[in-house]
Amino acid sequence: MSFIKSLENRRTIYALGRNVQDEEKVIETIKEAVRFSPTAFNSQTGRLLILTGDAQDKLWDEIVAPELKAAMEAQGVPESAWDNTRAKLDGFKAAFGTILFFEDQAVVKNLQEQFALYADNFPIWSEQGHGIALNATWLALAEKNIGMNVQHYNPLVDAQLAEKYDIPANWKLRSQAPFGQIVAPAGDKDIQTEGRFKVFGDN
């Protein structure tokens, strides 16, 4: 499969299940995708927490759900809205596992101190590195016919995750990615091209 075809085939999959073969190989694929993803100054700022099985259940039932419900109540969201939200969380919970992507801010700070001329850019480059690693992981899993979607419940869940899994204070949570068996494919997607590209060559 060509790289462009892999990009085309990578989709956001919400209907995920747990019928995944060879867990060790899948986990290794995730690690290798991040390991070989490029970063500015070879900073390698990406950090991962991968949860499966009982840990996967507890993430969505005992960490995300209570924090999100409390936040919704604090904002005055009607109780009736919770049922739809809870159904979404149950969908993420049904996946084989969840990858939590972090960026190590200690590395970012160290680089800022070493290369003061580029200090303002290192947080930006860290975010770019996260995006590259996330996309590489997504592509690698898609090639194995494993679905994935991306969520952002940070910073709601940051403190609870740090306490439960002894996450260093310098790890900054950037995204959460449920992954697993593709139970139902993604729907059609409208890809816009008009006005997105400019190309110039010789006069």
Side-chain angles (χ1 to χ4, degrees), residues 6-24:
S6 293
L7 287 171
E8 182 183 350
N9 288 342
R10 182 225 50 81
R11 299 294 307 279
T12 295
I13 307 294
Y14 290 112
L16 297 170
R18 297 196 173 183
N19 185 18
V20 171
Q21 305 299 315
D22 200 344
E23 176 178 354
E24 288 188 10

Side-chain angles (χ1 to χ4, degrees), residues 3-117:
F3 180 68
I4 297 300
K5 193 65 178 176
S6 293
L7 287 171
E8 182 183 350
N9 288 342
R10 182 225 50 81
R11 299 294 307 279
T12 295
I13 307 294
Y14 290 112
L16 297 170
R18 297 196 173 183
N19 185 18
V20 171
Q21 305 299 315
D22 200 344
E23 176 178 354
E24 288 188 10
K25 187 171 290 187
V26 171
I27 299 299
E28 189 60 26
T29 295
I30 294 168
K31 291 179 179 179
E32 293 293 272
V34 173
R35 179 185 170 200
F36 292 118
S37 293
T39 53
F41 284 65
N42 193 32
S43 54
Q44 301 177 47
T45 47
R47 305 288 183 266
L48 265 60
L49 172 64
I50 304 170
L51 304 178
T52 64
D54 186 53
Q56 159 77 351
D57 292 340
K58 289 180 177 178
L59 169 67
W60 297 103
D61 280 342
E62 300 179 10
I63 297 178
V64 179
E67 291 299 322
L68 185 56
K69 193 171 194 296
M72 290 172 66
E73 290 174 351
Q75 293 176 6
V77 178
E79 176 69 24
S80 57
W82 174 246
D83 289 342
N84 288 336
T85 300
R86 177 73 244 199
K88 284 179 61 178
L89 298 182
D90 285 342
F92 304 143
K93 173 187 167 183
F96 178 78
T98 300
I99 312 163
L100 297 105
F101 289 84
F102 298 79
E103 284 290 305
D104 191 337
Q105 301 307 296
V107 176
V108 174
K109 183 178 179 181
N110 183 52
L111 287 167
Q112 287 178 305
E113 292 171 351
Q114 286 187 64
F115 304 98
L117 182 63

